[in-house]
Amino acid sequence: MKRREILGAAGGVAVLAMPGIVRAQQPITLNGAVQFNDDHVFTRALVRFEELVKQYYNRPVNFVLHKNSSLGLEKQYFEYMAQGRAVDYGIVSPAHMSTFSRAAPFVDAPFLFRDLAHWNRVLDADLFAPVAQEVERRARVMLIGYAGGGVRNIFANRTASTLAELRGLKVRVQGAPIWSRAFTAVGMSPTVIAYNEVYNAIQNNVIEAGENEAAGVESMRFFEVAPNLLMTEHAITIRPICFAKQVFDRLPRELQEAVRRAGREAGVFGRQAESTEDSQKLDQLERAGRLRRIAFNERPQMLRAVEPVMMTYAREIDAEAIMTRINAITA
């Protein structure tokens, strides 16, 4: 009798000592977050990520994607992932990673790429790998793919087609210091305002303009308060697909492999979709009378004005070698 009790107790201890086995029988649930609705390309890229993970893992895994900023904004998503809670994956602007990596905002800096062909070559060459490694080491957030591809222009409540006409324009920019410094070098008056407050700020004449790609202009309806799109083409977006490292480390090895592979491919999907749809969205908005594109005639002069600022910034954040390699790439 005592022997059976001892064996039974030992068996119970063995089960308790192997919680991973018990948990492994339950489907894993991963929580994502995005600021936008179903139609936005960022949402579609994350849905594609989900589909690919399920395809490559080929075992039960659940995804819950929280849309329309229901869990806050991208800055909060990144903080949650760094803490290993609430959000497991999402798309986040590199500007929100600056607390952990001084070089992170450089990934999405203005005036960095000549055109889409140059942008694609840079991403294919994986020149931002040192930045991704630093973010993972210090923030415990992995950059598993690169979406983006929208060409950013200035939406404004007045027109401007030359540097002289841009002078003094009160424009909202992202929080990373390089954005304010670069736009100041061009002669504008940049200010940092939360993304979800831009519409009201223009409506109430706090600012005159913002800057975004076509998908953002459309989804946030910025054209209602700033119908002039100044075609400065000052940036091409890079939006990393992020994954919480603390969560990743707890996943089965096969699921880890699926996440890495799906992240890369979902990023390519997002880039192709956004770069293809960018001009199409602008065409549709212009035909509907919601905005009008204003040709900007002095882009080369604008780039020359910003070049010293960009080089100084690259030196400050130890990204000079990356910038040199970016400038050396021909397309």
Side-chain angles (χ1 to χ4, degrees), residues 111 152-158 166-175 179-194 198 201-202 205-212 226 228 230 232 234:
F111 309 104
R152 294 177 81 94
N153 296 287
I154 295 173
F155 52 89
N157 60 11
R158 63 179 173 91
L166 277 181
R167 186 164 298 279
L169 182 72
K170 292 185 291 185
V171 57
R172 180 268 181 183
V173 296
Q174 300 179 44
W179 285 83
S180 292
R181 288 162 62 175
F183 276 60
T184 298
V186 174
M188 289 179 274
S189 179
T191 185
V192 177
I193 294 176
V198 173
I202 297 176
N205 295 314
V206 176
I207 56 175
E208 301 169 282
E211 57 83 38
N212 215 319
N228 302 294
L230 317 181
T232 51
H234 55 269

Side-chain angles (χ1 to χ4, degrees), residues 34 102 111 135 142 144 157 177 184 198 251 254 258 268 288 290:
V34 65
R102 295 177 66 207
F111 309 104
V135 170
M142 302 164 62
I144 58 173
N157 60 11
T184 298
V198 173
L251 299 179
E254 295 83 358
V268 172
R290 293 178 169 179

Side-chain angles (χ1 to χ4, degrees), residues 15 33 47 60 62 78 101 109 118 134 140 147 150 182 187 189 205 207 238 242 246 274 292 299 301-302 320 327:
V15 170
V47 170
N62 299 323
F78 193 80
S101 170
H118 182 224
E134 183 181 29
R140 301 285 289 164
S189 179
N205 295 314
I207 56 175
I238 295 179
C242 303
Q246 295 180 57
E274 185 164 355
R292 59 176 179 147
R299 190 168 184 269
Q301 295 93 315
M302 181 172 64
E320 192 172 11
N327 290 337

Side-chain angles (χ1 to χ4, degrees), residues 40-260:
H40 196 280
V41 66
F42 290 1
T43 308
R44 288 184 280 133
L46 292 177
V47 170
R48 183 60 177 157
F49 169 68
E50 171 187 337
E51 294 169 346
L52 289 169
V53 170
K54 289 179 177 178
Q55 175 185 331
Y56 296 141
Y57 186 48
N58 199 29
R59 296 178 191 175
V61 55
N62 299 323
F63 285 81
V64 180
L65 181 56
H66 302 271
K67 307 168 190 172
N68 296 307
S69 302
S70 61
L71 292 183
L73 301 176
E74 290 178 8
K75 179 177 175 61
Q76 283 79 51
Y77 306 161
F78 193 80
E79 292 170 353
Y80 293 150
M81 284 185 275
Q83 296 163 7
R85 66 184 183 91
V87 176
D88 301 322
Y89 66 95
I91 290 179
V92 177
S93 168
H96 301 310
M97 306 175 190
S98 59
T99 302
F100 301 95
S101 170
R102 295 177 66 207
F106 187 72
V107 172
D108 196 47
F111 309 104
L112 193 59
F113 306 108
R114 293 187 291 272
D115 49 36
L116 274 170
H118 182 224
W119 172 82
N120 269 308
R121 289 284 186 88
V122 170
L123 287 176
D124 289 343
D126 198 21
L127 297 189
F128 296 116
V131 177
Q133 292 163 6
E134 183 181 29
V135 170
E136 180 174 338
R137 183 177 68 255
R138 299 190 61 191
R140 301 285 289 164
V141 176
M142 302 164 62
L143 309 187
I144 58 173
Y146 295 99
V151 179
R152 294 177 81 94
N153 296 287
I154 295 173
F155 52 89
N157 60 11
R158 63 179 173 91
T159 64
S161 58
T162 65
L163 286 176
E165 292 172 346
L166 277 181
R167 186 164 298 279
L169 182 72
K170 292 185 291 185
V171 57
R172 180 268 181 183
V173 296
Q174 300 179 44
I178 185 56
W179 285 83
S180 292
R181 288 162 62 175
F183 276 60
T184 298
V186 174
M188 289 179 274
S189 179
T191 185
V192 177
I193 294 176
Y195 185 66
N196 60 343
E197 297 175 5
V198 173
Y199 186 105
N200 288 337
I202 297 176
Q203 189 175 44
N204 296 322
N205 295 314
V206 176
I207 56 175
E208 301 169 282
E211 57 83 38
N212 215 319
E213 64 272 20
V217 171
E218 179 186 50
S219 65
M220 300 297 288
R221 304 186 70 82
F222 291 137
F223 53 80
E224 293 179 347
V225 291
N228 302 294
L229 194 67
L230 317 181
M231 303 302 290
T232 51
E233 299 180 357
H234 55 269
I236 304 175
T237 61
I238 295 179
R239 291 292 177 268
I241 299 177
C242 303
F243 201 96
K245 185 66 163 61
Q246 295 180 57
V247 175
F248 181 87
D249 287 344
R250 295 195 298 265
L251 299 179
R253 183 177 56 81
E254 295 83 358
L255 183 52
Q256 290 178 343
E257 294 171 356
V259 165
R260 285 189 184 277

